[in-house]
Amino acid sequence: MIAVRDLRVSFAAATVVDGVSFHVPPEEMFGLVGESGCGKSTVLRVLCGLNPAWSGQIVIGGKAMSPVRDRAFFKDVQMVFQDPYGSLHPRHTVNTALTEPLAIHGIGGADGRVAAVLDQVGLGGAFRYRYPHQLSGGQRQRLAIARALILEPKVLLLDEPTSALDVSVQAEILNLLTDLRRQRNLTCILVSHDLAVIAHMCDRIGVMQHGRIVEELTADQLNENAARHPYTIELLAASRGYDRALGERLADE
């Protein structure tokens, strides 16, 4: 469903994505993990058409992508952003946020579609005419997910969708995304710095460092600590919590 070959992105003199290549079969969840600034979110912004300044090759659904995408592309590929409040218009109700994409793409039956997607994400009709400031962080992210799904896309791009939420809410959103992916046969890419989230959600994982994918693993390999690249091994060690010996060794290096 998604094939990326030799993707490169630069801002001024800085290269932030340096020859990234990977593929995602239909209905798979592929994870990109790495420290802040490694280029993983930039990859998503290129894939969804928000960053036209790139080189390389991107194929989605068998169609080669150009930097400028047509309207039909945005019906098939949607993105959920890290900050649910920042991605929602503060003066638009839930109803407006959900009906606007339908109007842009000329899709009818808005009332039924809005009601159905609100139920799917666990909000319900009682939230339909509320504003973002009247919603909790978890409810805002549910709305952002509903807005992405209202057009019935084939590909869903997830940019750290739980990192801005309380820990108690994160599991609910992750379980919701897992259920929706299966129900809708979605192909997904999940970006996160949290290895536990990636291991729980994804079939395969690409580990990024300094704009490159340094290693690809299956979820089973990640859970079995079968990483080979030194950076992946350090990420795994760091995800287990503070280790005095590891901290001293890294400080010496």
Side-chain angles (χ1 to χ4, degrees):
M1 179 63 76
I2 302 170
V4 176
R5 299 183 183 90
D6 198 29
L7 178 64
R8 298 178 185 274
V9 182
S10 298
F11 299 124
T15 299
V16 294
V17 178
D18 187 8
V20 163
S21 299
F22 62 88
H23 72 281
V24 188
E27 302 180 28
E28 182 178 274
M29 174 84 80
F30 182 76
L32 284 175
V33 68
E35 62 194 16
S36 296
C38 69
K40 54 191 187 298
S41 292
T42 300
V43 171
L44 282 200
R45 293 179 69 84
V46 169
L47 289 176
C48 73
L50 288 177
N51 185 348
W54 55 272
S55 63
Q57 184 178 16
I58 300 172
V59 178
I60 300 178
K63 182 178 179 181
M65 296 290 106
S66 64
V68 179
R69 316 289 164 82
D70 58 21
R71 183 177 298 180
F73 167 84
F74 296 102
K75 183 177 180 297
D76 289 336
V77 179
Q78 284 287 306
M79 185 163 169
V80 177
F81 295 90
Q82 179 177 4
D83 179 8
Y85 194 74
S87 68
L88 298 170
H89 196 301
R91 296 186 180 181
H92 285 182
T93 64
V94 169
N95 185 69
T96 301
L98 296 178
T99 55
E100 186 177 48
L102 297 173
I104 290 172
H105 289 271
I107 299 172
D111 284 346
R113 288 176 180 269
V114 169
V117 78
L118 283 175
D119 285 340
Q120 277 197 319
V121 299
L123 289 179
F127 291 86
R128 186 161 179 171
Y129 296 100
R130 295 186 187 182
Y131 289 88
H133 73 270
Q134 296 174 307
L135 306 178
S136 68
Q139 289 166 346
R140 290 171 194 158
Q141 196 61 296
R142 288 175 187 269
L143 171 57
I145 294 168
R147 182 181 59 182
L149 295 178
I150 193 79
L151 295 175
E152 300 182 357
K154 299 175 183 176
V155 174
L156 191 61
L157 307 174
L158 304 163
D159 188 8
E160 305 219 34
T162 62
S163 64
L165 304 177
D166 293 339
V167 173
S168 59
V169 181
Q170 290 181 6
E172 296 177 5
I173 298 300
L174 293 175
N175 289 334
L176 172 65
L177 288 169
T178 298
D179 292 341
L180 290 170
R181 172 198 164 197
R182 292 170 180 166
Q183 293 167 8
R184 292 173 171 255
N185 301 319
L186 293 167
T187 303
C188 302
I189 298 179
L190 171 64
V191 157
S192 180
H193 64 274
D194 190 328
L195 275 173
V197 169
I198 289 285
H200 174 69
M201 296 285 291
C202 299
D203 304 295
R204 292 184 303 116
I205 299 99
V207 181
M208 288 193 68
Q209 182 187 31
H210 303 318
R212 299 179 179 180
I213 292 181
V214 297
E215 186 169 12
E216 278 196 25
L217 301 162
T218 66
D220 289 340
Q221 288 174 324
L222 187 64
N223 289 325
E224 293 167 1
N225 295 324
R228 296 184 177 181
H229 193 277
Y231 178 70
T232 310
I233 294 170
E234 289 182 3
L235 276 182
L236 285 167
S239 70
R240 301 187 193 102
Y242 180 69
D243 183 316
R244 180 181 296 275
L246 175 63
E248 292 175 351
R249 180 172 63 80
L250 293 178
D252 291 339
E253 293 175 358

